[in-house]
Amino acid sequence: MHHVDAADPVGRGSSAASVAPAASAASAVSAASNAPAAAQIGQKPTRYRWVVMGLIFLIWAIACADRANFGIALPYMKKEYGITNTEAGLIVSLFSFAYGLVQIPVGLMYKRLSEKTTGILFSVFMLLTSLFTGLMGTTSSVLLLQLYRVGLGLSEGPLGIGCTNVINRWFPPEEKGTATGLWIAASKLGPLIVPTVCIIVIQLWGWREIFYVFAVPGIFLAILWFFLVTNSPSENRFCNEAERRYITQDVAAGPATASSRAHVGAQVTPMPWLDGINRTRRVPRLETLRQVFTSWNVIGVAIGYGCMIGISNIFMSWIPTYLVTVKGFASVKMGFLASAPFIGAVAGNMLGGVISDRLLGGRRKPMMLLGALGTALMTLLLVEAPDSVLYLGAMLMFSGLMLGIGFAGYSAYPMGLATKATYPAAFGIVNSLGQIGGACAPLAVGMLLDRYDWSSVFLYMVGTSLLCLVLLLSVVEPITVRKAGEEA
């Protein structure tokens, strides 16, 4: 750029008249180049992230319905194939074992592959989930049941990490708990609608048609996802620059911007009494895979998550059998009561995420601790429960509420520990150990029932809830310290 020295008495042959037009032209060019930025600063965010959240909600609800419908069909399968409780428990658990085993590899895959590639893979895995759901209705042997359950677990496994990875990239820190709560609520909405839909389908056709009916929505949603959602807002044509800045906490430029961004999310309102119990600590972000894989905070939460998923799996897969075979309820009452835990869980999931974000300053542990303790108390009240629809409905609903109120925390907790690059691996560990731990529960129930009775099952649920409580007390509540300029 040519520079005119105002201190030069000669002016190197330039006159004031020649300098003025040059300065005016430079100002015009500068104004023109800054016009788009100024317009972007003044524009309103599109809020397209909530459209993305809506699709995540629907997809995850259908995916979880695809795994939950097996519990309604199980009594009919046991009768047709003559399988024992232990064999039935193994078939149920095979899904979770397969689901859990792919979590860490998929987490590493999401970290290494491009955002465009992971977005395409998400749609592919959703289509495979629908395929294996439909295949469940074509089975002619126990072996095929087992193989298709494994296929369903391998196909659905990447969807959970995909959903949380998108939430982590599409939402600012103060909305991540709410968004995660909605995602977890979707996991309970699926099982909530399953009993009613399944009973209607069984009455009209039979148990095999259950799987055909549930296979269809996933195909449609996979296509919508492919065209409407990208892995991050930066590459999405429906998300404007104002929303992208809001998501990354990059507000209008100014003298305090760098300082503000360095501390976004690093400060919380002091709650001394709660933070003492909660073990709230300042911790650095987990920036490497080695740090992630050796963090007790990640591992401890993951094992606790396995305890709670196990209880959720028991409600999903075994409670319908309990209501029919032990309590002798007809299909209509069974359908209502089988839905009760998930009515409570949907409310608990959304409530837990909102309380965590808005009242507890992003603290995740309090709701997780409350969930573990409350679940232990509620399941204890199910031991030797009377044959009362009102009593069972209330206890199952409150059990679901307590179970669900902390669930959002298990997914949001790693967001406070890891960077965006290492989060998929961190959540992969949490979900892997969580699902493998949860897979043990339905098998354990089958073994307990072949030797004891349902009282032992409910006591098993009490014990695993208390184990989760102890594990949560051993980890810290992170207040993360980030480097200046790092994304929230």
Side-chain angles (χ1 to χ4, degrees), residues 8 12 28 88 98 117 138 159 164 187-188 199 207 229 244 249 255 260 328 352 360-362 383 404 415 431 454 457:
D8 185 355
R12 294 180 177 85
T117 303
T138 69
L159 296 181
T164 57
S187 72
K188 303 304 182 292
I199 288 168
W207 69 264
V229 181
R244 294 185 189 116
Q249 299 294 315
S260 299
L360 298 177
V383 179
M415 295 178 186
N431 216 18
W454 272 92
V457 173

Side-chain angles (χ1 to χ4, degrees), residues 262-408:
H263 294 287
V264 169
Q267 305 293 330
V268 296
T269 304
M271 296 181 179
W273 63 271
L274 178 60
D275 287 333
I277 299 171
N278 208 37
R279 300 188 65 219
T280 304
R281 302 283 190 275
R282 281 190 170 274
V283 296
R285 291 271 189 180
L286 303 175
E287 296 181 343
T288 67
L289 291 178
R290 183 175 181 178
Q291 291 173 342
V292 170
F293 277 88
T294 57
S295 169
W296 171 249
N297 291 324
V298 173
I299 295 170
V301 164
I303 300 172
Y305 191 37
C307 295
M308 303 310 283
I309 288 180
I311 296 172
S312 179
N313 287 346
I314 292 170
F315 281 129
M316 194 182 301
S317 57
W318 277 110
I319 289 299
T321 300
Y322 165 74
L323 295 169
V324 171
T325 60
V326 177
K327 297 303 181 184
F329 291 130
S331 59
V332 175
K333 288 183 179 179
M334 181 273 282
F336 165 73
L337 291 173
S339 300
F342 302 103
I343 295 173
V346 169
N349 292 152
M350 292 188 288
L351 188 63
V354 171
I355 291 174
S356 178
D357 275 346
R358 299 187 180 181
L359 300 182
L360 298 177
R363 295 169 177 85
R364 311 303 178 192
K365 270 185 63 179
M367 290 295 98
M368 295 154 71
L369 290 167
L370 175 62
L373 180 61
T375 301
L377 294 174
M378 291 300 106
T379 50
L380 183 62
L381 293 174
L382 287 169
V383 179
E384 300 295 342
D387 297 342
S388 165
V389 173
L390 182 61
Y391 181 88
L392 282 169
M395 290 304 101
L396 289 170
M397 190 176 297
F398 280 112
S399 295
L401 178 67
M402 288 294 99
L403 183 66
I405 205 165
F407 250 69

Side-chain angles (χ1 to χ4, degrees), residues 42-55:
Q43 70 182 180
K44 293 182 179 180
T46 48
R47 298 179 66 84
Y48 189 73
R49 65 191 182 279
W50 293 110
V51 175
V52 174
M53 188 66 238
L55 274 174

